[in-house]
Amino acid sequence: MDAIAYTKIQTAGVRAPLKVRKGHFATNHCHTNYYLDLTTLKSRVSEAHEIAQTLSTMYLYGTIIDTILCAEGTEVIGAYLAEELSKAGFLNTNAHKTLYVIQPEYNSNSQIIFRDNLKPMIQGKNVLILEGSISTGKSVNKIMEAVNYYGGTISGISALFSAIDHINGIPVLAVFGRKDLPDYSYADYHDCPLCKKGIKLDALVNAFGISAI
């Protein structure tokens, strides 16, 4: 889609902008009135590093983080976040006193699994979940269930953008949020106000990007 269609949103303390496009979009879980383009925030080294630095300052000393579980293509940010947390002296229980950075795997039934070689990085570990964007929290909830199933403990939830503040009682610490995009909204497919007005979808969106209709 044409870059001219995007608006750059700034937030306090971060030079890297969030690129957004207003319209009518369908995600895996809901309809939204904005598409959030996180591409450069997740893949451009300078921006990913800055996002990681910002996220690292949101955690309190004394928080124990053994593993960063990177969803929605946030592995570059996750690696920098691990580096920043290590430099800051955050606690972990790993034998080598360093953090693990891994990603979830989805099977053919869309269930999250961890292979035998990755199980030790979840079981008995304090896991920080890193997401791209959070609207309803359903995707994160699925990850939380998987971490608990494999014997891990959730130590925190971070995101580049989040429309909600808590998931299952755990605070969501995000760089961008409703403070930066106050008119951001989402709705269930069957209760979408844009659909009720007869406004057609502009595109389908997911963690990989956007596909115009």
Side-chain angles (χ1 to χ4, degrees), residues 10 92 177 186 190:
Q10 301 286 159
N92 67 73
Y186 61 88
H190 305 295

Short mmCIF file of all heavy atoms in Angstrom, two decimals, residues 10 92 177 186 190:
data_model
loop_
_atom_site.label_atom_id
_atom_site.label_comp_id
_atom_site.label_asym_id
_atom_site.label_seq_id
_atom_site.Cartn_x
_atom_site.Cartn_y
_atom_site.Cartn_z
N GLN A 10 4.10 9.84 17.11
CA GLN A 10 5.24 9.92 18.04
C GLN A 10 4.76 9.72 19.47
O GLN A 10 3.60 9.99 19.79
CB GLN A 10 5.93 11.28 17.93
CG GLN A 10 6.46 11.62 16.55
CD GLN A 10 7.72 10.85 16.19
OE1 GLN A 10 8.04 10.72 15.01
NE2 GLN A 10 8.43 10.33 17.18
N ASN A 92 18.30 -13.27 36.77
CA ASN A 92 17.77 -14.47 36.13
C ASN A 92 18.33 -15.68 36.85
O ASN A 92 19.31 -15.58 37.58
CB ASN A 92 18.08 -14.49 34.63
CG ASN A 92 19.56 -14.65 34.33
OD1 ASN A 92 20.11 -15.73 34.50
ND2 ASN A 92 20.20 -13.58 33.91
N GLY A 177 0.33 3.33 22.87
CA GLY A 177 -0.97 2.87 23.35
C GLY A 177 -2.05 3.88 23.05
O GLY A 177 -1.89 4.75 22.18
N TYR A 186 -11.57 -1.38 18.44
CA TYR A 186 -11.70 -2.71 17.87
C TYR A 186 -13.06 -3.28 18.29
O TYR A 186 -13.65 -2.84 19.28
CB TYR A 186 -10.57 -3.63 18.32
CG TYR A 186 -10.51 -3.87 19.81
CD1 TYR A 186 -11.23 -4.90 20.42
CD2 TYR A 186 -9.75 -3.04 20.62
CE1 TYR A 186 -11.18 -5.10 21.78
CE2 TYR A 186 -9.70 -3.24 21.99
CZ TYR A 186 -10.42 -4.27 22.57
OH TYR A 186 -10.38 -4.47 23.92
N HIS A 190 -19.00 -9.69 14.65
CA HIS A 190 -20.46 -9.62 14.59
C HIS A 190 -21.03 -8.33 15.18
O HIS A 190 -22.23 -8.11 15.13
CB HIS A 190 -21.06 -10.82 15.33
CG HIS A 190 -20.57 -12.14 14.84
ND1 HIS A 190 -20.83 -12.60 13.57
CD2 HIS A 190 -19.80 -13.09 15.45
CE1 HIS A 190 -20.26 -13.79 13.40
NE2 HIS A 190 -19.62 -14.10 14.53
#
